[in-house]
Amino acid sequence: MVKCRKFVLAKHFDGVPKDSDIQLIEEDLPDIKNGEFLCEAVYLSVDPYMRPYSKYQLKEGDVMIGEQIAKVIESRNEDFPVGTNVAIYCGWRSHFISKGGDVQKLNIPQNIPLEQGLGVLGMVGRTAYFGFLDICEPKEGETLVVNAAAGAVGSMVGQIGKIKGCHVIGYAGSDEKVKYLKALGFDDAFNYKTVNLDESLKKSAPNGVDIYFDNVGGHFTVTVRKHLNKYARISHCGAISTYNSTEPIMVPCQDTVMVGKEIKAQGFIQSTYKARFPECIKQMGEWLLQEIGRASCRERV
């Protein structure tokens, strides 16, 4: 019998999350049966989407949501022998039992770190790949603006933008992050806390913005929309500026701008593209191996 440690939502977040909102508890797992296998977590993901999604998907006492990479440590399923690495969306838990239908085998090349199964070759990569390429349909020479650009998804979008020949402008929250963006090849990068957003866009995108990959929402998006060109595309990936707000964020209505310039704006969920995950993994893997700085992802483990 194995003891599973799991983080549960003790109390729904109200404003900035507190340590007391999450509780670590233990449970005993039964012995595995024929056709089952036991896995032990290797890496757990911590992502911004967990903040708003927990409000709608979880009740207090539920295991905190999230994806993980795990290793099979005991098996009575010949398709998943001991040592197999898998990815699964089962939350923050140390162990789980599966029959295989809810996991994805990870066949990551030896020269790529295993944790990239949660990064460039995982949900981060899929979010950037489909959210940018499918929704924004980038063309060479177009101007792309990315906010939260030093984050996992934003940094990937910027790099794919460069691969596709875009002029890439990134915004992040510190001078250190700005240096990181420039090292990744962003054409322009700004600390949004120390610059005037409107003026910086006038300077870096004098001919307007064609593509806006939005991770932030709120007033930032209101300002960027003023600079969008006719037929611009917006990919709404997240709204991190609002996640800890306890009151509604009031912003001006820009419907006339959106209609008059025939701007396309679309939200998305990466899991919608599940049937095309192999396509994404293949392409992102190729970019990751081609050269340093292409499809690279900074991690904290």
Side-chain angles (χ1 to χ4, degrees):
M1 185 175 293
V2 173
K3 283 191 178 295
C4 168
R5 294 180 297 161
K6 58 184 183 180
F7 288 95
V8 300
L9 184 68
K11 188 177 186 302
H12 276 290
F13 304 120
D14 182 20
V16 178
K18 303 178 289 294
D19 289 346
S20 58
D21 294 332
I22 301 292
Q23 182 181 4
L24 179 61
I25 64 175
E26 291 186 348
E27 69 173 346
D28 291 326
L29 296 183
D31 294 333
I32 60 173
K33 302 174 183 177
N34 286 333
E36 296 181 335
F37 53 92
L38 173 67
C39 287
E40 183 175 55
V42 180
Y43 296 104
L44 305 178
S45 68
V46 183
D47 304 290
Y49 80 87
M50 296 173 177
R51 173 64 176 82
Y53 276 51
S54 64
K55 179 179 180 180
Y56 304 106
Q57 292 187 357
L58 302 181
K59 61 181 182 296
E60 292 179 357
D62 285 348
V63 177
M64 189 60 190
I65 56 177
E67 192 175 21
Q68 68 167 260
I69 292 175
K71 185 182 293 291
V72 177
I73 59 173
E74 184 181 349
S75 180
R76 298 182 68 178
N77 183 322
E78 62 182 13
D79 293 328
F80 292 87
V82 172
T84 303
N85 293 313
V86 300
I88 183 173
Y89 191 85
C90 69
W92 291 358
R93 60 174 75 237
S94 64
H95 298 79
F96 64 88
I97 294 173
S98 175
K99 293 182 178 180
D102 53 352
V103 305
Q104 173 191 354
K105 283 186 179 180
L106 290 179
N107 297 307
I108 297 177
Q110 290 185 349
N111 52 344
I112 296 179
L114 178 62
E115 60 266 26
Q116 291 289 11
L118 294 178
V120 175
L121 304 183
M123 186 179 68
V124 168
R126 298 191 299 263
T127 301
Y129 183 89
F130 295 115
F132 178 56
L133 295 178
D134 272 49
I135 294 175
C136 299
E137 299 176 308
K139 302 175 184 65
E140 186 173 358
E142 290 190 317
T143 296
L144 161 66
V145 170
V146 187
N147 53 21
V153 173
S155 61
M156 291 299 320
V157 169
Q159 291 175 83
I160 298 173
K162 289 302 299 178
I163 291 171
K164 293 298 180 179
C166 294
H167 178 85
V168 181
I169 305 168
Y171 288 86
S174 72
D175 292 341
E176 178 185 0
K177 292 178 180 179
V178 167
K179 291 179 181 178
Y180 171 59
L181 297 181
K182 291 181 178 178
L184 289 179
F186 280 59
D187 296 287
D188 292 296
F190 300 96
N191 180 347
Y192 74 87
K193 295 179 180 178
T194 60
V195 300
N196 180 289
L197 177 57
D198 188 59
E199 292 300 320
S200 67
L201 284 171
K202 289 178 182 177
K203 180 179 179 180
S204 59
N207 297 317
V209 174
D210 303 295
I211 303 170
Y212 174 38
F213 195 94
D214 182 21
N215 293 299
V216 173
H219 293 284
F220 194 109
T221 291
V222 170
T223 301
V224 174
R225 281 178 177 169
K226 297 176 184 177
H227 295 264
L228 293 178
N229 290 326
K230 194 173 180 68
Y231 307 124
R233 288 84 71 201
I234 304 173
S235 180
H236 288 295
C237 179
I240 58 176
S241 68
T242 69
Y243 290 168
N244 290 327
S245 300
T246 56
E247 298 292 336
I249 303 297
M250 306 301 291
V251 297
C253 176
Q254 295 177 306
D255 292 351
T256 303
V257 174
M258 300 293 288
V259 173
K261 291 186 176 182
E262 300 182 71
I263 295 168
K264 170 188 172 182
Q266 182 178 335
F268 72 99
I269 304 295
Q270 57 87 30
S271 57
T272 299
Y273 299 88
K274 186 174 182 179
R276 293 173 56 197
F277 281 3
E279 166 199 330
C280 173
I281 293 171
K282 180 177 183 295
Q283 179 61 84
M284 296 298 281
E286 290 176 359
W287 282 335
L288 184 61
L289 291 172
Q290 278 175 7
E291 60 183 81
I292 295 174
R294 281 200 166 193
S296 65
C297 183
R298 183 169 60 179
E299 301 162 325
R300 291 184 180 180
V301 180

